[in-house]
Amino acid sequence: MTKDKKRVLFIGAGRMAQAIIEGLSNKPEFAILVSNNGNEERLEFVKNHYGVETTVNWLNNLVNMDIIFLAMPPDAHDTILNELAKQINGQLVLTVAAGIGPAYLESKLPNSTPVASIMPNTAAKLGESITLYAPGQYVNQQHVQWIESLISGIGQFERVTEKQIQELTAVTGSAPAFIYKLAGALEQMALETGITQQQARKLVSQMIAGSAEMLKTNIDTNELINQVATPGGSTAAGLELLDDHQFSTTIQQAINACRQKAAAIK
Ligand SMILES: NC(=O)c1ccc[n+]([C@@H]2O[C@H](COP(=O)([O-])OP(=O)(O)OC[C@H]3O[C@@H](n4cnc5c(N)ncnc54)[C@H](OP(=O)(O)O)[C@@H]3O)[C@@H](O)[C@H]2O)c1
């Protein structure tokens, strides 16, 4: 591997690792080495498809690495962190696993190891994630630059605290499923008018994409609603029904249900 590049070891070669590796394809400042849990076929695919190096024995390569990126299930972390702790020497350790916070990583690794938790969402594979990251206490400005450069390939990002990443994961990670549920209900109504599935998907997806663009103008959501709904008009009738059914409260309760479940799983 080239010496002046930052060397990144991915442990885990699944969907999330591949989305991030894909996002790094136009970032020549990183040299990538990928390992996994022994699925050699997947490792071969990753090597050929993304043009990165792979290894079945990441421990042998650890000493040469600058950044260790854990992209495997939460329950695989303890074993890997125990192995890492024996040989790590100041490298930056990142994880995308839900519920593995920087304090936990720090508790498992030698004192003063720089760590961070990263929480992308499924839109990462299209480069459209909103990704949260929470650095640990030993992360410096150089590490922050590496983290932001690594995750900028999968979309936009925000730096938050450990407590905030726990609470916001429901909003950025889970709520896309709420949007798809809304989309599914609207698609169904569109299909009932006699248009094709393809047409219904086009209508609904572009309506949501356009609404997202309007949100990005930072106009207050109530004002955006007012721009659509004339008092006493047809949209207002629909909004009234949503209010009668406590739509906003229901969404907030759903976010809280995600948070409670996430806390219980840990
Ligand atoms: N997918 C998402 O949209 C998303 C969003 C946010 C966070 N995440 C988090 O990202 C992590 C990975 O998710 P994913 O969707 O990429 O999962 P995935 O597609 O199932 O891939 C999991 C990867 O982890 C590897 N692995 C499992 N146990 C391992 C071990 N003991 N040592 C080394 N590698 C091991 C697997 O190895 P093999 O290839 O050998 O099977 C596989 O490459 C999870 O913690 C998940 O919570 C995912």
Side-chain angles (χ1 to χ4, degrees), residues 11 13-16 36-39 42 71-74 76 80 96-97 120 122:
I11 307 181
R15 285 161 296 186
M16 192 41 70
N36 64 354
N37 199 27
N39 181 338
R42 172 138 57 185
M72 63 216 183
I80 299 292
V96 285
T122 51

Side-chain angles (χ1 to χ4, degrees), residues 46-264:
V46 168
K47 182 179 185 165
N48 295 331
H49 193 79
Y50 301 101
V52 295
E53 292 183 32
T54 57
T55 179
V56 290
N57 191 341
W58 59 265
L59 253 181
N60 279 357
N61 293 276
L62 190 60
V63 68
N64 299 317
M65 295 294 137
D66 299 298
I67 302 161
I68 320 297
F69 208 126
L70 306 179
M72 63 216 183
D75 60 8
H77 274 58
D78 270 1
T79 316
I80 299 292
L81 288 169
N82 286 340
E83 289 298 314
L84 271 177
K86 290 181 202 156
Q87 293 197 31
I88 199 163
N89 186 20
Q91 291 97 327
L92 173 65
V93 178
L94 308 173
T95 183
V96 285
I100 309 267
Y104 186 78
L105 293 173
E106 283 170 358
S107 76
K108 291 281 177 183
L109 294 167
N111 193 23
S112 76
T113 302
V115 302
S117 290
I118 290 170
M119 186 42 61
N121 64 28
T122 51
K125 63 173 166 235
L126 301 178
E128 291 290 348
S129 175
I130 175 66
T131 301
L132 306 172
Y133 78 92
Q137 56 185 314
Y138 305 110
V139 162
N140 63 27
Q141 204 42 46
Q142 173 69 85
H143 299 132
V144 166
Q145 269 178 20
W146 292 349
I147 294 168
E148 294 191 350
S149 187
L150 281 166
I151 59 178
S152 64
I154 52 168
Q156 299 192 37
F157 55 81
E158 278 300 322
R159 177 179 176 158
V160 296
T161 65
E162 173 156 13
K163 184 167 182 290
Q164 286 167 333
I165 208 170
Q166 281 168 9
E167 293 177 348
L168 288 169
T169 294
V171 175
T172 59
S174 301
F178 304 173
I179 301 291
Y180 303 138
K181 200 160 178 66
L182 172 68
L186 294 174
E187 258 184 33
Q188 187 56 40
M189 295 300 277
L191 280 171
E192 285 172 15
T193 70
I195 61 172
T196 65
Q197 173 67 48
Q198 204 182 3
Q199 287 174 312
R201 175 56 59 95
K202 180 178 174 184
L203 264 55
V204 172
S205 62
Q206 180 53 32
M207 181 278 291
I208 292 173
S211 306
E213 289 304 315
M214 293 295 279
L215 283 167
K216 286 183 190 172
T217 63
N218 279 332
I219 297 172
D220 181 77
T221 51
N222 285 320
E223 171 55 22
L224 289 173
I225 290 170
N226 290 339
Q227 288 176 8
V228 186
T230 317
S234 59
T235 305
L239 286 167
E240 208 170 298
L241 185 134
L242 288 178
D243 286 344
D244 286 349
H245 288 77
Q246 301 187 315
F247 179 77
S248 301
T249 309
T250 305
I251 295 293
Q252 288 158 357
Q253 285 172 342
I255 292 291
N256 273 333
C258 296
R259 287 175 176 163
Q260 280 160 18
K261 185 68 181 180

Side-chain angles (χ1 to χ4, degrees), residues 30-51:
F30 295 109
I32 298 165
L33 179 65
V34 185
S35 193
N36 64 354
N37 199 27
N39 181 338
E40 290 189 26
E41 211 175 299
R42 172 138 57 185
L43 223 47
E44 191 64 19
F45 169 81
V46 168
K47 182 179 185 165
N48 295 331
H49 193 79
Y50 301 101

